[in-house]
Amino acid sequence: MKTWYCVTSSFDDRGRCVAAITATKEAEECPESTYTSTRRKDIYNDWFGSIEEAQEWVAQSRCA
């Protein structure tokens, strides 16, 4: 089993972004990333194979 890390990123209509590691999951294969669009924001759940990759994605999302 491998530990996967979920980063949830939210981008609103005013250009603001919030991103954080929100979950971990033990699985053989990477869980599927998801996307949801609401009236005011877009929400992404992306999965990564290491905590370092997840933290880098969070940092990049906040600078977008």
Side-chain angles (χ1 to χ4, degrees), residues 26-46:
E26 293 282 332
E28 291 294 328
E29 294 184 21
C30 182
E32 187 174 333
S33 296
T34 60
Y35 162 79
T36 304
S37 183
T38 66
R39 198 173 86 172
R40 295 184 181 161
K41 65 176 99 175
D42 295 330
I43 304 165
Y44 299 86
N45 291 304
D46 297 298

Side-chain angles (χ1 to χ4, degrees), residues 2-6 30 47-54:
K2 180 175 171 104
T3 302
W4 299 94
Y5 301 87
C6 179
C30 182
W47 291 90
F48 299 90
S50 73
I51 189 74
E52 293 82 13
E53 280 183 293

